[in-house]
Amino acid sequence: MTIDPAVPGDSPFRTERSTRDEAPQFVLPLVVRIERAAPPARTDALETAARAVLTLLADERALGEGEWAAAVRDWQDARIRKVVRRARGAEWRRAEALPGITVTGKAAEVRVFPPVPLDGWPKELAKLQVSGTDLDDPEPPVDFDPTAPVIWQNPEVGMSAGKAMAQAGHGAQLAWWELSDEERTAWREAGFPLAVRTAEPRRWRELTESGLPLVRDAGFTEIAPGSCTVVADHPALRAR
């Protein structure tokens, strides 16, 4: 495949085999609450998932000698995998009882958990379904602040809501890695504002050539390996 300069050689999102594949593999579990009577809007769920990933990365328990820090380091040293499952009712209450962080959007609720071994999911989460996360936007997403970070989606790649939530999380994480400590602090203190939107085709081509963080999916589920899925457009990165 063509090597994209926006995807560094040691990126966990490259499709070529690398030393990251030799490390123990971990996954970041996310659970979205989808009640039958009141499912969240798709864009709300995507934005909430991205903020959930950032919230965990910035949490004291994930840093330094924190209780989640070793698992987060092991996860980031390997392929960056995120899996979104759905829960409702008692399933959601059992998920909330496990160590993690619940992040809320306009109506969406997403709980993120510290990374676990690929084959070592807690039984309460392993029972949850990956399928069934197909969500819609009842109305077109409202306009967003053009000065805020935007996770742009590829208009030509169709994904389930669960897959798109994971990709939005990947994009947010790449932006986080690129920021300085000062820029991270400012974003965190502002509450991690961001928008997730689908780019127009012409705009998408410009974004993929802009040098902004770009996610190429490893192809574990749904889409072909190497597919460009999202671009992370953070204001602090636009002028670099």
Side-chain angles (χ1 to χ4, degrees):
M1 62 177 262
T2 300
I3 302 301
D4 194 310
V7 186
D10 65 347
S11 170
F13 300 109
R14 293 191 74 87
T15 55
E16 297 91 342
R17 190 166 183 82
S18 72
T19 55
R20 289 181 178 274
D21 294 289
E22 308 304 323
Q25 299 296 301
F26 285 73
V27 61
L28 186 78
L30 297 107
V31 175
V32 56
R33 184 177 185 180
I34 303 180
E35 300 290 349
R36 287 190 178 91
R42 180 185 176 99
T43 296
D44 187 17
L46 268 58
E47 292 173 348
T48 305
R51 289 195 297 111
V53 171
L54 292 166
T55 300
L56 180 132
L57 291 172
D59 192 280
E60 291 184 356
R61 290 168 289 184
L63 303 172
E65 300 302 317
E67 61 186 287
W68 299 343
V72 170
R73 285 194 295 269
D74 288 342
W75 169 60
Q76 294 190 124
D77 284 344
R79 291 287 184 177
I80 300 298
R81 301 178 189 232
K82 300 178 180 73
V83 173
V84 178
R85 298 181 182 237
R86 61 177 173 86
R88 61 171 61 98
E91 296 173 333
W92 176 256
R93 292 190 290 273
R94 286 192 291 269
E96 279 204 304
L98 298 176
I101 306 168
T102 297
V103 175
T104 59
K106 296 180 179 68
E109 293 180 73
V110 175
R111 188 163 180 83
V112 60
F113 303 86
V116 297
L118 194 58
D119 57 355
W121 284 67
K123 64 180 185 299
E124 295 89 346
L125 302 183
K127 294 177 181 178
L128 300 178
Q129 296 295 312
V130 176
S131 60
T133 55
D134 292 328
L135 301 171
D136 297 313
D137 282 315
E139 299 178 0
V142 298
D143 292 339
F144 58 91
D145 181 354
T147 66
V150 185
I151 307 298
W152 291 105
Q153 299 179 103
N154 186 340
E156 299 175 352
V157 174
M159 295 180 283
S160 68
K163 179 72 171 181
M165 289 169 68
Q167 299 301 305
H170 290 338
Q173 185 170 2
L174 283 186
W176 180 255
W177 285 350
E178 292 289 328
L179 297 174
S180 67
D181 289 343
E182 182 179 356
E183 290 161 346
R184 289 180 180 181
T185 298
W187 200 10
R188 181 180 66 247
E189 291 181 348
F192 293 122
L194 59 82
V196 178
R197 295 292 187 273
T198 300
E200 295 293 332
R202 182 174 178 178
R203 174 63 173 148
W204 176 253
R205 290 191 292 272
E206 294 172 350
L207 287 164
T208 59
E209 298 171 357
S210 67
L212 290 167
L214 168 68
V215 175
R216 285 188 184 274
D217 191 65
F220 296 121
T221 61
E222 290 195 25
I223 58 179
S227 299
C228 298
T229 55
V230 300
V231 170
D233 184 9
H234 191 289
L237 304 178
R238 292 171 189 165
R240 294 183 182 176

